[in-house]
Amino acid sequence: MEKPYTCAVCSKEFSQHLNLKRHLRIHTKGKPFECGVCEKAFSLKFHLKSHLLTHTKEKPYACDICSKAFSRRIYLTKHLRTHTKEKSYACGICCKTYSRQDTLKIHLRVHMKEKPYAYDICSKAYSQRTYWNEHLRKHTKEKPYECKICNKAFAYRQSLKIHLRLHTKEKPYACPVCSYASSRRHHLKNHLLTHTKEKPYVCDICNKAYSVQGTLKSYLQTHTKEKPYACDICDKTFSQKLNLNKHLQRHTKEKPFACGICLKAFSVKPDLRVHLRTHTKEKPFACDVCYKAFSRKHYLKLHLRTHTKEKPFVCDF
């Protein structure tokens, strides 16, 4: 087809003068089509027409399979591929396939190491605008996703999704070895290490090993004596945020953890767990020397001094 109309700026050729006229607006930044509702402007009339549907909430293009509706035909076309599983866009480097061209374009940035979305404050860069928007919330403290049950707000949609499982009691991640199930994938991952006895996280100072990286991180503070989490009420400090949260419940007098046998209530779950042993008579902490067993680790620690003859408390008088 003959293309007699050439752009004087970039030399792109067109078969019709109207198409050249539209194209020139890319260079001139001309946006003659303005929305009468929000005053947003567009270079093409078609784009304005599509934009107006965001105000009218009209969605004339419906999926015949699931009835989901869209404001633009192109959105429906992309959506249909989720049903057909068609993935016609392939990566030339790793052969991974995608249903959408824009998704392939984003994927290619992984190979090119391209991160076009950067933030001026911390200089952190991302390959996708979605990740960049999520990161911005760390600075703005914005929490747009709110739980409709307890009104707790979250910065990320996925965080809200995980939180909702507390209300629904859903635990989709089940252990294949025992009956343990969790609402979070990484909790299951950590739990599985209790079966393999694997402890890949080792302290550089004393070589003590842990199965969970977070536990090692907390343990390292016993060497540094660092306690970055302070109570606003009594100024007591803690090495772990979890311990601070437990401590705060002692100030509020809140006792949400009740024994199902005698109804005695506790402010923190570990206290309830220890208390239950008074009913079950369970004594999981046994002495390696005389095999005497105790319900608490602290009691075992005290007992061991009878064997070691250790007497750490000396009178100064």
mmCIF file of all heavy atoms in Angstrom, residues 200-204 208-210 212-221:
data_model
loop_
_atom_site.group_PDB
_atom_site.id
_atom_site.type_symbol
_atom_site.label_atom_id
_atom_site.label_comp_id
_atom_site.label_asym_id
_atom_site.label_seq_id
_atom_site.Cartn_x
_atom_site.Cartn_y
_atom_site.Cartn_z
ATOM 1 N N PRO A 200 19.486 -23.703 58.422
ATOM 2 C CA PRO A 200 20.432 -23.064 57.488
ATOM 3 C C PRO A 200 20.951 -21.696 57.914
ATOM 4 O O PRO A 200 21.885 -21.173 57.311
ATOM 5 C CB PRO A 200 19.596 -22.945 56.207
ATOM 6 C CG PRO A 200 18.182 -22.840 56.685
ATOM 7 C CD PRO A 200 18.109 -23.649 57.939
ATOM 8 N N TYR A 201 20.353 -21.111 58.954
ATOM 9 C CA TYR A 201 20.746 -19.747 59.349
ATOM 10 C C TYR A 201 21.628 -19.808 60.593
ATOM 11 O O TYR A 201 21.170 -20.159 61.689
ATOM 12 C CB TYR A 201 19.495 -18.899 59.596
ATOM 13 C CG TYR A 201 18.579 -18.874 58.386
ATOM 14 C CD1 TYR A 201 17.409 -19.627 58.356
ATOM 15 C CD2 TYR A 201 18.912 -18.133 57.251
ATOM 16 C CE1 TYR A 201 16.588 -19.631 57.230
ATOM 17 C CE2 TYR A 201 18.095 -18.131 56.129
ATOM 18 C CZ TYR A 201 16.934 -18.880 56.130
ATOM 19 O OH TYR A 201 16.130 -18.882 55.018
ATOM 20 N N VAL A 202 22.902 -19.471 60.396
ATOM 21 C CA VAL A 202 23.907 -19.643 61.457
ATOM 22 C C VAL A 202 24.426 -18.288 61.931
ATOM 23 O O VAL A 202 24.721 -17.397 61.130
ATOM 24 C CB VAL A 202 25.088 -20.509 60.952
ATOM 25 C CG1 VAL A 202 26.107 -20.721 62.056
ATOM 26 C CG2 VAL A 202 24.569 -21.846 60.429
ATOM 27 N N CYS A 203 24.567 -18.152 63.252
ATOM 28 C CA CYS A 203 25.099 -16.930 63.849
ATOM 29 C C CYS A 203 26.600 -16.850 63.580
ATOM 30 O O CYS A 203 27.338 -17.804 63.860
ATOM 31 C CB CYS A 203 24.825 -16.925 65.351
ATOM 32 S SG CYS A 203 25.591 -15.534 66.227
ATOM 33 N N ASP A 204 27.070 -15.728 63.070
ATOM 34 C CA ASP A 204 28.490 -15.547 62.750
ATOM 35 C C ASP A 204 29.361 -15.427 63.993
ATOM 36 O O ASP A 204 30.573 -15.625 63.930
ATOM 37 C CB ASP A 204 28.688 -14.285 61.897
ATOM 38 C CG ASP A 204 28.052 -14.419 60.518
ATOM 39 O OD1 ASP A 204 27.958 -15.562 60.032
ATOM 40 O OD2 ASP A 204 27.647 -13.391 59.946
ATOM 41 N N LYS A 208 25.588 -20.583 66.574
ATOM 42 C CA LYS A 208 24.286 -21.162 66.894
ATOM 43 C C LYS A 208 23.424 -21.093 65.636
ATOM 44 O O LYS A 208 23.427 -20.083 64.925
ATOM 45 C CB LYS A 208 23.635 -20.385 68.043
ATOM 46 C CG LYS A 208 22.465 -21.115 68.677
ATOM 47 C CD LYS A 208 22.043 -20.488 69.996
ATOM 48 C CE LYS A 208 20.933 -21.308 70.630
ATOM 49 N NZ LYS A 208 20.497 -20.756 71.931
ATOM 50 N N ALA A 209 22.698 -22.177 65.351
ATOM 51 C CA ALA A 209 21.938 -22.262 64.104
ATOM 52 C C ALA A 209 20.431 -22.251 64.345
ATOM 53 O O ALA A 209 19.943 -22.720 65.375
ATOM 54 C CB ALA A 209 22.332 -23.523 63.354
ATOM 55 N N TYR A 210 19.714 -21.717 63.367
ATOM 56 C CA TYR A 210 18.247 -21.611 63.439
ATOM 57 C C TYR A 210 17.620 -22.014 62.108
ATOM 58 O O TYR A 210 18.230 -21.875 61.047
ATOM 59 C CB TYR A 210 17.830 -20.182 63.791
ATOM 60 C CG TYR A 210 18.278 -19.759 65.166
ATOM 61 C CD1 TYR A 210 19.525 -19.160 65.355
ATOM 62 C CD2 TYR A 210 17.484 -19.985 66.280
ATOM 63 C CE1 TYR A 210 19.953 -18.788 66.623
ATOM 64 C CE2 TYR A 210 17.907 -19.620 67.546
ATOM 65 C CZ TYR A 210 19.134 -19.018 67.721
ATOM 66 O OH TYR A 210 19.558 -18.663 68.974
ATOM 67 N N VAL A 212 14.768 -20.602 61.055
ATOM 68 C CA VAL A 212 14.075 -19.424 60.515
ATOM 69 C C VAL A 212 15.007 -18.214 60.564
ATOM 70 O O VAL A 212 15.645 -17.956 61.588
ATOM 71 C CB VAL A 212 12.786 -19.129 61.309
ATOM 72 C CG1 VAL A 212 12.039 -17.928 60.726
ATOM 73 C CG2 VAL A 212 11.876 -20.353 61.314
ATOM 74 N N GLN A 213 15.088 -17.478 59.468
ATOM 75 C CA GLN A 213 15.978 -16.314 59.384
ATOM 76 C C GLN A 213 15.593 -15.230 60.390
ATOM 77 O O GLN A 213 16.449 -14.590 60.991
ATOM 78 C CB GLN A 213 15.944 -15.747 57.968
ATOM 79 C CG GLN A 213 17.012 -14.672 57.733
ATOM 80 C CD GLN A 213 17.065 -14.230 56.291
ATOM 81 O OE1 GLN A 213 16.119 -14.398 55.542
ATOM 82 N NE2 GLN A 213 18.190 -13.663 55.891
ATOM 83 N N GLY A 214 14.284 -15.037 60.583
ATOM 84 C CA GLY A 214 13.805 -14.028 61.524
ATOM 85 C C GLY A 214 14.229 -14.325 62.954
ATOM 86 O O GLY A 214 14.526 -13.408 63.729
ATOM 87 N N THR A 215 14.277 -15.614 63.308
ATOM 88 C CA THR A 215 14.706 -16.023 64.652
ATOM 89 C C THR A 215 16.187 -15.719 64.844
ATOM 90 O O THR A 215 16.609 -15.263 65.915
ATOM 91 C CB THR A 215 14.442 -17.523 64.871
ATOM 92 O OG1 THR A 215 13.097 -17.828 64.518
ATOM 93 C CG2 THR A 215 14.672 -17.908 66.329
ATOM 94 N N LEU A 216 16.995 -15.960 63.814
ATOM 95 C CA LEU A 216 18.424 -15.622 63.888
ATOM 96 C C LEU A 216 18.603 -14.119 64.054
ATOM 97 O O LEU A 216 19.418 -13.669 64.876
ATOM 98 C CB LEU A 216 19.145 -16.096 62.625
ATOM 99 C CG LEU A 216 20.590 -15.610 62.463
ATOM 100 C CD1 LEU A 216 21.469 -16.106 63.603
ATOM 101 C CD2 LEU A 216 21.167 -16.040 61.117
ATOM 102 N N LYS A 217 17.843 -13.347 63.303
ATOM 103 C CA LYS A 217 17.931 -11.888 63.371
ATOM 104 C C LYS A 217 17.638 -11.387 64.782
ATOM 105 O O LYS A 217 18.311 -10.504 65.305
ATOM 106 C CB LYS A 217 16.954 -11.272 62.364
ATOM 107 C CG LYS A 217 17.125 -9.788 62.160
ATOM 108 C CD LYS A 217 16.170 -9.274 61.096
ATOM 109 C CE LYS A 217 16.301 -7.761 60.923
ATOM 110 N NZ LYS A 217 15.358 -7.251 59.893
ATOM 111 N N SER A 218 16.604 -11.981 65.393
ATOM 112 C CA SER A 218 16.248 -11.606 66.771
ATOM 113 C C SER A 218 17.341 -12.035 67.745
ATOM 114 O O SER A 218 17.689 -11.301 68.672
ATOM 115 C CB SER A 218 14.916 -12.249 67.165
ATOM 116 O OG SER A 218 13.882 -11.797 66.332
ATOM 117 N N TYR A 219 17.896 -13.235 67.512
ATOM 118 C CA TYR A 219 18.933 -13.749 68.401
ATOM 119 C C TYR A 219 20.195 -12.892 68.368
ATOM 120 O O TYR A 219 20.849 -12.693 69.396
ATOM 121 C CB TYR A 219 19.279 -15.193 68.026
ATOM 122 C CG TYR A 219 20.491 -15.730 68.752
ATOM 123 C CD1 TYR A 219 20.408 -16.100 70.095
ATOM 124 C CD2 TYR A 219 21.726 -15.832 68.118
ATOM 125 C CE1 TYR A 219 21.519 -16.564 70.776
ATOM 126 C CE2 TYR A 219 22.839 -16.301 68.784
ATOM 127 C CZ TYR A 219 22.733 -16.667 70.118
ATOM 128 O OH TYR A 219 23.835 -17.124 70.797
ATOM 129 N N LEU A 220 20.560 -12.361 67.208
ATOM 130 C CA LEU A 220 21.765 -11.537 67.067
ATOM 131 C C LEU A 220 21.749 -10.335 68.005
ATOM 132 O O LEU A 220 22.805 -9.836 68.418
ATOM 133 C CB LEU A 220 21.917 -11.060 65.617
ATOM 134 C CG LEU A 220 22.405 -12.105 64.613
ATOM 135 C CD1 LEU A 220 22.295 -11.586 63.205
ATOM 136 C CD2 LEU A 220 23.844 -12.525 64.914
ATOM 137 N N GLN A 221 20.538 -9.887 68.355
ATOM 138 C CA GLN A 221 20.414 -8.738 69.266
ATOM 139 C C GLN A 221 20.833 -9.087 70.688
ATOM 140 O O GLN A 221 21.070 -8.198 71.502
ATOM 141 C CB GLN A 221 18.979 -8.201 69.221
ATOM 142 C CG GLN A 221 18.676 -7.491 67.900
ATOM 143 C CD GLN A 221 17.205 -7.227 67.687
ATOM 144 O OE1 GLN A 221 16.353 -7.804 68.353
ATOM 145 N NE2 GLN A 221 16.882 -6.356 66.744
#
